[in-house]
Amino acid sequence: MTGPVYGRFDQEQLDVQYSPSSLVGDLQPYLDDYAEHSRRARAELAGVAHRDLRFGPGPDDLLDVYGPAGDRAEGHPALFFIHGGYWQQLSKEDSTFPAPAVVGAGGVYATTDYTLAPRARLAEIVDQVRDAFAWLWRHAADHRIDPDRIVVSGSSAGAHLAAMLLATPWRRWGLPPAPIAGAVLLSGIYDLAPVRHTYVNEVVGIDPGEVRDCSPMFLSGARCPVVVAWGEHETDEFKRQSAEFAAHLRARGCRVTAYEQAGRNHFDAPLELAEPGTRLHAETCALLGLP
């Protein structure tokens, strides 16, 4: 019998704890839902879509902006969404599904690509997403966005990357020190130490320096309001990570709303961003200042 490799978990147990698909019968239908809902969203918003905007020189340095609807010239709030996929899968093409609900409420929706592991190290991915956000902030006026009302969001690995935006020394990017108005973090990973000991690291290759520098749990950052949510049907470790990160943020002065999404799992939880009438959509609109 092997002993613990992290906390109380042996290798098999730890791998299961960091395998969200262990709690769903088949992952593929959820990925298909992302793709199909996103395809429909792009068709619905074709008239207000600005796709493949280049924020850097690399082949994956692209983001999409949807909205605003109508002819109002004043700045609109924007939701900047980062996809998950354990830093290895998915793209902005799978992440358009919340756009109609955000644009329909009066906001702007943006989502970005990033270079997937193992073609990029995690620290490089973090900086790439920072570059994408900085580009959007600088070009806010071009898309009728109020730069003081940009909320960041992400699911799973995307929540990790969004949380890293909160811990960014933005003056190095030429931005004000606190350019983020709020964050919506879904089923995220905020302490990379256990992940480094799982099957995930066979591809991602997180090293001790990245555990130190790319774990939001160990970093200080912005004090904007934050929503931290996770599905009812998540592993204990994903639930622990979310609850402990919410406590970390509160201890640093953030106004935090933390809750479990009843009946949801790791993969269908972010779909509530696209569903008016759900708590997640309402919490997101509240941060954006939308009805």
Side-chain angles (χ1 to χ4, degrees):
M1 179 180 292
T2 61
V5 296
Y6 186 88
R8 70 181 192 276
F9 301 112
D10 65 25
Q11 188 64 66
E12 182 178 0
Q13 292 168 332
L14 191 66
D15 283 344
V16 169
Q17 284 293 318
Y18 283 91
S19 175
S21 60
S22 65
L23 295 184
V24 300
D26 184 1
L27 173 60
Q28 193 59 48
Y30 296 101
L31 303 183
D32 292 344
D33 274 353
Y34 295 161
E36 177 60 18
H37 282 89
S38 293
R39 184 194 65 78
R40 293 178 184 174
R42 287 192 295 276
E44 179 180 341
L45 297 177
V48 293
H50 308 272
R51 301 196 60 209
D52 295 328
L53 300 169
R54 181 160 292 284
F55 65 83
D60 304 307
D61 293 345
L62 300 170
L63 60 80
D64 295 343
V65 177
Y66 295 88
D71 298 323
R72 290 181 300 163
E74 70 268 21
H76 298 250
L79 184 68
F80 178 74
F81 184 82
I82 308 162
H83 71 80
Y86 254 146
W87 308 284
Q88 307 167 48
Q89 294 177 281
L90 303 179
S91 72
K92 64 182 177 63
E93 303 303 303
D94 305 294
S95 307
T96 319
F97 59 88
V102 174
V103 174
V108 174
Y109 181 83
T111 185
T112 188
D113 270 338
Y114 52 85
T115 303
L116 301 177
R119 291 192 296 121
R121 295 204 57 82
L122 184 57
E124 294 171 330
I125 294 171
V126 169
D127 279 349
Q128 188 177 17
V129 173
R130 287 165 165 165
D131 289 343
F133 177 85
W135 186 96
L136 185 68
W137 190 92
R138 292 191 191 99
H139 291 84
D142 297 339
H143 299 282
R144 290 190 283 158
I145 295 170
D146 180 349
D148 294 326
R149 298 169 69 194
I150 302 177
V151 171
V152 300
S153 181
S155 176
S156 192
H160 162 264
L161 294 169
M164 287 301 297
L165 294 182
L166 299 180
T168 298
W170 285 112
R171 290 195 187 278
R172 297 183 191 172
W173 275 259
L175 270 59
I180 296 171
V184 180
L185 308 177
L186 309 175
S187 304
I189 295 170
Y190 309 106
D191 175 359
L192 297 173
V195 181
R196 185 168 174 261
H197 297 283
T198 70
Y199 71 99
V200 177
N201 217 36
E202 294 172 9
V203 175
V204 182
I206 300 166
D207 64 28
E210 288 170 321
V211 170
R212 181 192 65 237
D213 297 335
C214 298
S215 288
M217 193 82 77
F218 306 149
L219 305 173
S220 60
R223 295 183 179 179
C224 61
V226 181
V227 174
V228 179
W230 60 93
E232 177 184 359
H233 305 297
E234 302 260 16
T235 67
D236 290 344
E237 275 294 277
F238 270 92
K239 291 184 178 184
R240 179 190 67 81
Q241 288 246 1
S242 288
E244 291 189 3
F245 189 58
H248 167 87
L249 292 171
R250 287 193 184 103
R252 281 150 183 78
C254 288
R255 176 169 58 85
V256 180
T257 300
Y259 73 99
E260 186 168 285
Q261 293 172 267
R264 294 294 190 175
N265 62 50
H266 189 87
F267 303 101
D268 64 9
L271 295 176
E272 290 192 2
L273 286 172
E275 298 173 2
T278 63
R279 178 176 180 180
L280 184 62
H281 182 265
E283 296 279 5
T284 303
C285 284
L287 287 185
L288 291 165
L290 295 172

